[in-house]
Amino acid sequence: MFARSAITTRTAVPALNAVGQTRNMATLKEIQNRLKSVTNISKITASMKMIASTKTTRAQRAMNVARQYGQVSNDFVKQSEVKKAENAKEILITASSDKGLCGGIHSSLSRYSRRYLNEHPDTPLVVIGDKGKVQLQRVYPQNIAYSFNQIGSTIPTFDESSGISSVILSDKAIEFDNAKLVYNQFVSAIAFETSEIENFPISQIVEAPNFKAYEVQEEVLENLNEFLFANTMHWALVEGHAAEMAAKRTAMENATKNAGDMIQRLTLQYNRGRQTVITNELIEIITGASAL
Amino acid sequence: MALPHEIVLKNKEVNQVDLSAVSGDLGILADHVPTIEQLKPGVIDIMADSGAEKYFVSGGFAIMNPNSVLNINAIEAFKLEDIDAQAVASNLAESQRLASNAKDEITKEAAAIEVELYEALQSALSAKSK
């Protein structure tokens, strides 16, 4: 009777163990695969973070220069104390870029632009950068007058900024007085703020109260208009680029940290699973040995 | 004096600045009447107590503000010493050739602008060596 019960228990327990073992084995393989893929991803995000950090330092330096360049250019506009004309026609220019993986950069820009376009649905829109275009195209496709791409993977040059501004200015189909440049202001390495630069046309600046003090020849006024527009565009593009690089760095840092956490969790799970399998095997052996 | 990629001078106290403007050459002293001038490719001579500095600028705008601050936005600016006379001469010949062979208006205009630039460069360099 004793032997019989021993036999029955012996056959029962190994069967259960076999199933438990195969289940654990499959889970172990799964966990191993997941571990491998998460480790790969974390390596990629870590290297992307490095790249973004170096790009950020360079972009920040360029931004400091471009900011001052734009502010110097707009100095006389500020000193003239220009006020926006009552029925000024406006154009909205959104400075985003082509690349993603940079946190909330593009969605913040498109939210700001959409808010503005909600209140002023007739405003022509110029989008710089495919990411911004895709988001704005969904809601305001009819407003988009121009879109530019291939901007933003490197620090924007004055060539590009002046090229964009001359295309916009030379298109007679788009009439505008004021230009609002929507861009991401670089607040710090971990923070940015979507804001706008207002670019006044020379026709309004000439009406400004303090502008009478300036002696200027008629012929240069139009050139000044274009120059001012190009300078402001350059400032917006370069600063936006710096904000994007910083956001990319932060996003990749978070991703790497999350991947690291996941790796830790998975490794613990894997080890526990492995130990369970070994323990079960030991129990089996011992039970079997003791029954003999 | 600001360029898109570099701030050449900032908050510098100077006595006089000579510019080459489209409307003519002019010298700007402190408390000069506020003016806005478009710059031709040419030399900007900055005279301060610490000495004189000459820069060749490719073009831009110089704006004299009522608060006696002179703002210069240029696209490119170089000290005359940094410019290679040989390169200037060969590039000038090249652009003159382009200007005469140009088929359409735009190429002709662009080449003419280049010619003007190199001629200004040459005269600036020769004036310096005189």
Side-chain angles (χ1 to χ4, degrees), chain B residues 112-129:
Chain B
I113 296 175
E114 277 186 38
V115 169
E116 189 190 343
L117 172 69
Y118 288 118
E119 281 177 352
L121 264 171
Q122 263 199 340
S123 61
L125 286 172
S126 57
K128 175 175 99 87
S129 51

Side-chain angles (χ1 to χ4, degrees), chain A residues 74 100 104 162 174 192 197 236 242:
Chain A
N74 278 298
S162 54
I174 318 176
F192 69 90
I197 311 178

Side-chain angles (χ1 to χ4, degrees), chain A residues 60-100:
Chain A
Q60 229 181 312
R61 256 181 284 148
M63 169 196 76
N64 284 328
V65 172
R67 218 191 238 171
Q68 287 185 56
Y69 179 78
Q71 282 168 343
V72 162
S73 175
N74 278 298
D75 193 7
F76 81 101
V77 179
K78 233 188 329 168
Q79 291 202 32
S80 310
E81 292 179 3
V82 192
K83 294 277 181 303
K84 195 158 81 169
E86 281 301 315
N87 323 329
K89 281 209 216 99
E90 298 204 323
I91 181 175
L92 195 72
I93 303 174
T94 308
S96 78
S97 79
D98 295 343
K99 301 278 178 74

Side-chain angles (χ1 to χ4, degrees), chain A residues 31-213:
Chain A
I31 299 178
Q32 222 175 5
N33 280 337
R34 282 192 74 191
L35 252 178
K36 230 189 305 182
S37 75
V38 177
T39 317
N40 279 339
I41 292 180
S42 85
K43 278 193 217 145
I44 296 174
T45 53
S47 68
M48 287 183 86
K49 174 184 145 209
M50 291 263 96
I51 297 175
S53 321
T54 43
K55 284 198 174 175
T56 308
T57 20
R58 247 181 282 149
Q60 229 181 312
R61 256 181 284 148
M63 169 196 76
N64 284 328
V65 172
R67 218 191 238 171
Q68 287 185 56
Y69 179 78
Q71 282 168 343
V72 162
S73 175
N74 278 298
D75 193 7
F76 81 101
V77 179
K78 233 188 329 168
Q79 291 202 32
S80 310
E81 292 179 3
V82 192
K83 294 277 181 303
K84 195 158 81 169
E86 281 301 315
N87 323 329
K89 281 209 216 99
E90 298 204 323
I91 181 175
L92 195 72
I93 303 174
T94 308
S96 78
S97 79
D98 295 343
K99 301 278 178 74
L101 291 179
C102 43
I105 292 275
H106 302 300
S107 37
S108 173
L109 281 172
S110 71
R111 235 178 308 144
Y112 193 101
S113 313
R114 265 183 289 148
R115 239 203 321 237
Y116 182 82
L117 286 168
N118 257 335
E119 297 166 21
H120 308 87
D122 292 326
T123 321
L125 173 67
V126 173
V127 196
I128 304 174
D130 284 332
K131 288 282 175 205
K133 180 178 86 161
V134 159
Q135 293 193 13
L136 287 168
Q137 218 171 25
R138 259 183 284 146
V139 203
Y140 292 101
Q142 67 279 4
N143 292 54
I144 299 185
Y146 274 104
S147 84
F148 295 87
N149 59 10
Q150 304 298 331
I151 306 278
S153 45
T154 52
I155 303 179
T157 59
F158 191 72
D159 262 353
E160 291 171 347
S161 326
S162 54
I164 295 176
S165 15
S166 60
V167 168
I168 300 176
L169 281 172
S170 55
D171 187 345
K172 295 292 168 249
I174 318 176
E175 276 181 28
F176 67 97
D177 301 310
N178 284 38
K180 270 193 199 297
L181 286 107
V182 179
Y183 74 117
N184 284 318
Q185 196 179 13
F186 185 98
V187 171
S188 80
I190 47 173
F192 69 90
E193 194 183 318
T194 310
S195 72
E196 62 183 45
I197 311 178
E198 182 109 40
N199 190 67
F200 295 98
I202 204 69
S203 46
Q204 258 163 47
I205 302 176
V206 169
E207 306 289 319
N210 293 351
F211 189 75
K212 318 267 188 289

